[in-house]
Amino acid sequence: MVAHPLVVRPAAYRQFAGTEEPSQGKRAFCLVTDAAVADGFVIEGPHGYAEARIVAARPEDTLQSLLTTRVPEAADLLVVRPGAFVTSPDPAAVGARRISVMPCGSTPVEEGHLRYFLSVLERTDPDAQAARADRFLAGLEQAATDGGLRIVDTAQGTSCAVGLDGPELEVNLQAGRLGPGEQQIAPSGEISILPRPITDFDPACRLALDGELTLRGWPIVHAGYDPALDGPQDDLFRQLLPLHRHPVVVTVVAGSVTACRPGTDHPAAAGAAKALDALLDADERYRTVWELGFGIHTDMAAVPANCGLNEVYGAVDGAVHLGLGLTPFTRFALTFLCPGSAVVDGTGAVLLGASATTRRLRRTNRAGCGCH
């Protein structure tokens, strides 16, 4: 027995609770993790399931293959595979299972990170998140209809107009309770707006963003699970790391980053701006703002590391984040947390973000992140 195992508590995971029949008492709970680390987990009872098991996956095992060979048809799954890049299985293979995936294959994830985010998962209130998301999306829809939607950073004096008129615009909601056949990231708490479905990367498709955006917060550098990229991934993260203290301002025209400058005269801000400029010059595809994201998990802190699990970070009243690039189309995918920014409507009222005290958007409820 491991001295300090990672404890999985199915009874605490409210995203699985009471949404449909068969009831939990007739279902199985499965923790799917890598065989190399499976001995480091324990499942704590009582859990209310007919059975609870750890499914130890080999490196070659995909989630889809595990569903068809080693996971009961009536099951709730928590997938935690730090050694693998997990892709969403076909709906036919999912069946009535409910799947929650902790995205930890595209950035380095330490044991302490897993322990922390398992505790965040226990604190996650899916009903409160769904209600927050509904309020925010309703505000977005109204503000987009009125033509006054903006992202502002009052400290830097930046403002960026946001339009929501793209013909293939997709709003991906990762919040609320899971129903049969549904998948979601764990912990949940993210809303993403994309110019088209997340896996259909096309740098020519743009979000309607025009103005200036302030990048100030922990950067995330995704690389997929490719050991050859470990060094370059860490190098880029360290070059961008000053952003958590020193802002960089980007100019965006029609959803494309056209310029980058330090937000202050601090040398660290200049260094981060130079690193981002070099990346944009090296590969023009990074200039497309592929994702406009909103973290709404307000019961957590951002882990001070290159950690993809930080994307749901919602600070006190929600947090904006931006996504540039998408693996494997680009070498890296960059996410910039911007907790100093706020989303405001035409009257200046804050819908989400730092200062926070109709057209219907097409929404999807599925694990479409692409960075598991």
Side-chain angles (χ1 to χ4, degrees):
M1 177 67 69
V2 176
H4 301 287
L6 295 165
V7 181
V8 173
R9 299 181 175 91
Y13 305 151
R14 285 170 279 179
Q15 73 269 32
F16 293 131
T19 56
E20 83 296 318
E21 293 296 333
S23 66
Q24 283 183 317
K26 298 178 182 178
R27 298 173 74 88
F29 176 87
C30 296
L31 169 67
V32 178
T33 191
D34 299 317
V37 298
D39 288 345
F41 288 87
V42 296
I43 299 177
E44 181 179 273
H47 44 67
Y49 285 90
E51 64 165 316
R53 67 174 75 166
I54 295 176
V55 178
R58 301 164 299 181
E60 65 269 22
D61 289 329
T62 65
L63 181 54
Q64 180 152 324
S65 69
L66 293 170
L67 292 179
T68 57
T69 59
R70 297 173 60 191
V71 175
E73 292 184 8
D76 293 341
L77 280 73
L78 175 61
V79 182
V80 185
R81 296 193 64 183
F85 191 85
V86 178
T87 56
S88 298
D90 294 334
V94 176
R97 300 175 180 94
R98 300 181 292 191
I99 303 176
S100 187
V101 180
M102 188 170 283
C104 51
S106 63
T107 59
V109 175
E110 302 171 4
E111 179 182 320
H113 300 160
L114 294 179
R115 193 179 305 277
Y116 175 68
F117 281 101
L118 284 171
S119 74
V120 172
L121 186 55
E122 294 179 17
R123 296 195 297 275
T124 302
D125 184 338
D127 296 330
Q129 285 189 353
R132 176 186 287 270
D134 283 344
R135 290 192 301 271
F136 175 58
L137 289 170
L140 281 187
E141 290 159 358
Q142 185 60 53
T145 299
D146 297 341
L149 191 62
R150 293 178 298 136
I151 297 173
V152 300
D153 184 299
T154 55
Q156 285 298 119
T158 58
S159 176
C160 183
V162 181
L164 299 176
D165 297 324
E168 295 186 82
L169 195 72
E170 178 166 291
V171 177
N172 192 334
L173 176 62
Q174 299 285 324
R177 299 189 185 219
L178 283 163
E182 291 185 344
Q183 307 164 56
Q184 191 180 85
I185 60 172
S188 61
E190 183 182 16
I191 303 167
S192 299
I193 299 180
L194 306 127
R196 60 188 302 171
I198 181 68
T199 55
D200 298 338
F201 181 70
D202 182 351
C205 293
R206 308 283 174 80
L207 293 169
L209 299 172
D210 288 277
E212 288 188 324
L213 293 164
T214 298
L215 312 182
R216 177 173 42 200
W218 287 97
I220 303 171
V221 181
H222 299 280
Y225 191 70
D226 181 356
L229 290 178
D230 287 355
Q233 179 186 28
D234 185 62
D235 289 343
L236 181 57
F237 171 71
R238 292 185 181 281
Q239 292 170 34
L240 297 173
L241 181 58
L243 285 170
H244 83 285
R245 291 182 180 271
H246 307 287
V248 167
V249 175
V250 296
T251 301
V252 183
V253 177
S256 179
V257 178
T258 60
C260 175
R261 63 176 173 84
T264 69
D265 59 3
H266 196 285
K274 182 179 179 180
L276 182 55
D277 248 339
L279 188 69
L280 297 174
D281 288 341
D283 189 338
E284 291 286 321
R285 294 175 297 176
Y286 287 115
R287 294 188 180 274
T288 297
V289 180
W290 184 243
E291 177 193 13
L292 177 58
F294 310 96
I296 60 172
H297 203 307
T298 56
D299 293 316
M300 61 169 282
V303 169
N306 182 22
C307 183
L309 291 161
N310 279 337
E311 285 197 9
V312 299
Y313 173 64
V316 176
D317 294 294
V320 176
H321 60 258
L322 303 174
L324 308 181
L326 180 68
T327 59
F329 303 95
T330 54
R331 194 182 194 195
F332 305 109
L334 308 180
T335 300
F336 296 98
L337 301 184
C338 307
S341 294
V343 183
V344 302
D345 66 14
T347 70
V350 175
L351 305 179
L352 174 146
S355 302
T357 55
T358 131
R359 186 175 73 88
R360 296 296 295 172
L361 300 176
R362 178 167 57 92
R363 311 177 191 181
T364 60
N365 290 270
R366 65 173 181 268
C369 168
C371 293
H372 296 332

